[in-house]
Amino acid sequence: MAANRSESPQARLNTLRRRIRHHDHCYYVEDAPEIPDAEYDRLFSELKRLEERHPELITPDSPTQRVSGTPLEGFSKVEHRQAMLSLDNTFSSEELAAFHQRVVDRLGAKVAGDSLSYVVEPKLDGLAISLRYEQGRLIQGATRGDGRVGEDVTAQVRTIRAIPLRLGGEGWPTTLEVRGEVFMPTEAFEQMNEKARAAGEKVFANPRNAAAGSLRQLDPKVTASRPLTLLLHGWGAVDGGVMPDSYSETLVLFRRWGLPVSDLIRSVQGIDAAQKSVNHLETLRQTLPYEIDGAVIKVDRVDLRARLGYVARAPRWAIAYKFPAQEVVTRVQGIDVQVGRTGALTPVARLEPVTVGGVVVTNATLHNFGEMRRKDVRAGDRVSVRRAGDVIPEVVRVVPQDALAATEGTLFQRPDPMAEPERCPVCDSRATRPEGEAVLRCTGGLVCPAQRKAAVIHFASRRAMNIDGLGTKLIDQLLAKGVITSVVDLYHLEHAVVASLERMGSKSATNLLHAVAASRTTTLGRFLFALGIREVGESTAQGLARYFGTLDAVMEADRERLESVPDVGPVVASRVWAFFREAHNRQVIDGLLAAGVVWPDVEGSVSEESLPLAGQSVVITGTLESLTRRDAKARLEALGARVVGSVSKKTALLVCGASPGSKRTKAEALGVEIIDEAAFLVLLER
Ligand code: IVH
């Protein structure tokens, strides 16, 4: 959209800032962008140019002013006007019931236990932060510190784009101190570590350390480059305004003011309902895009909170319910070398089986030989092992023997460190490590059975072509029996052949063929990801799809053009470019297209019009039981829909899960079609 020429610079600045704030909110808080990144970038650069021409009009809360230029000398101290408290922990429903009993006993006869209102929410694994707004402007950010005195991290928190520099809406108190958790989403954390690993740099042990380490950077530019976000879980000092009587109503206000609040927070009555809510969060745990280490149960009413007070450093009105640990200690039985999709030779620790976050783990990755050496992991060592979400369990560190000797009474003689293999353990091709790279690779390419198998597994995986029921064992058989030699053959499987495989039968074969057929309709992002181009993960693939819109455009782009895609640097650009220049890869792509693999072009193309939800704007609200938000969104997009964050006149459909919020009310008011989860599943089947 061109600037309205009659507009004054000040008016245009206001418009641009308002629009950018709105889109920041959609992107970073609602997780539902309304415009393509390129359009956002255009608005942003227009604002920057205009401010360069009129520096006198720059205000500290302009979206361009998030990152200040000068590193700090050190952090100054901030005394919290109200102490930042901690939480007591519980680990079982009995302990939670005991907490409830203490609350009821203290409150006395005036409150009926069964109907006592609690709020149940995720316990985020990050670090607590306090944000002070004066007249709606962000004035100060501080860490919790010891609860009484923290550190001034104003310049750092200003770089976190989920945090508004000024509040939206109206009616905020003159001084408002909100509190929340700064954290790093799992995928972003993995990507950051992956980059550090490839460069042979130090990696962070977990997202919490990464968040803390990123926030406590004297140079705010470093913080700005780290994918931090925030969700609120309380408030501190408030002056010059009236706050609601309950926490749940306060959260509604926070949302209205544009502050980030989790949509997994639930209000319940009585402790049984609270326990149910906790259990539900636990089932969601592995599907969330960030780590939670438990749930927090809080008395909702503010007057009751005041009567309950606190002991030592924890309130009597709230408690944490901790889930099983994601990091535990076990012993390394031996170290194997696995061959990955791109030939990477990865040392993997075989472990004494151990339960991590509720799942039995027997293997954990050591990532590469350099990292194995740095951590100095050897057979027989006791190590701490971490697992989170879909991520492969990894060895975090060796637990020092001295610490163990005290408890176990013995020291063992450690074997020599494992040497790097010179040849691929599967196909015996030479192993090489290109200059400056951390990873050792098998040079066998698709001749190496391990690489071929890994390529098919990746292609069929949930976030790629999502071929339900095509697991590792089946892929093994298909390759070993020569039924398939490449992923193209998957689309030409014959029922009788599949049915004759071990542990298959007519019914399973039919199901598999259905799943294969269903995978034909996909998205460009998924397709690009499924191809297994080196360095192209899920988000890069989606970035390419969004930027180019069509496969032809991606394939034809030169390296320079590829580098203009957000987050694509010279290395990724040349990998993508080289991939499409290889005849073998082009053949596979042609084969897949000939087999009927299709997707909508990203920006309204002809093929898109034939899809059932082509061009329609769809909103999802509430909790879905049978699939994650991410999957629901992807499935809708595959049907041609645009999934957006807020309901408007233009919304064609609202998918409504359990406990919907204001979006449902708004949709009803606007007469938007609303479907529940059951109807949604039927729609997806169609
Ligand atoms: S409430 C007085 N709510 O857990 C209430 N804390 O173990 C104190 N945390 O210091 C905070 N998620 O850093 C609260 N939903 C949540 C939380 C949460 C994570 C952190 C917070 C706190 C620590 C206590």
Side-chain angles (χ1 to χ4, degrees), residues 47 94 298 351 422 516 628:
L47 175 61
E94 290 77 24
K298 301 174 176 174
L351 305 171
E422 283 169 11
V516 168
T628 61

Side-chain angles (χ1 to χ4, degrees), residues 85-87 89 121-128 144 181 233 296 298 315 317-318 320:
L85 300 175
S86 184
L87 290 168
N89 292 329
E121 60 191 40
K123 185 167 194 299
L124 302 154
D125 206 4
L127 68 153
R144 173 170 178 274
E181 200 80 354
H233 51 54
V296 185
K298 301 174 176 174
W317 45 262

Side-chain angles (χ1 to χ4, degrees), residues 129-133 176-180 232 234-237 254 259:
I129 205 93
S130 144
L131 302 171
R132 183 154 56 85
Y133 287 87
L176 172 67
E177 185 198 333
V178 293
R179 290 167 176 186
L232 293 190
W235 68 94
F254 285 174
L259 289 160

Side-chain angles (χ1 to χ4, degrees), residues 306-354:
R307 274 172 48 199
L308 289 161
Y310 54 93
V311 252
R313 293 160 65 195
R316 285 205 192 88
W317 45 262
I319 195 108
Y321 188 109
K322 298 290 283 267
F323 297 151
Q326 303 268 41
E327 190 173 322
V328 298
V329 173
T330 186
R331 193 179 298 281
V332 176
Q333 291 176 326
I335 296 172
D336 299 334
V337 178
Q338 276 180 6
V339 188
R341 177 164 54 84
T342 55
L345 300 183
T346 305
V348 173
R350 238 179 314 110
L351 305 171
E352 256 170 38
V354 65

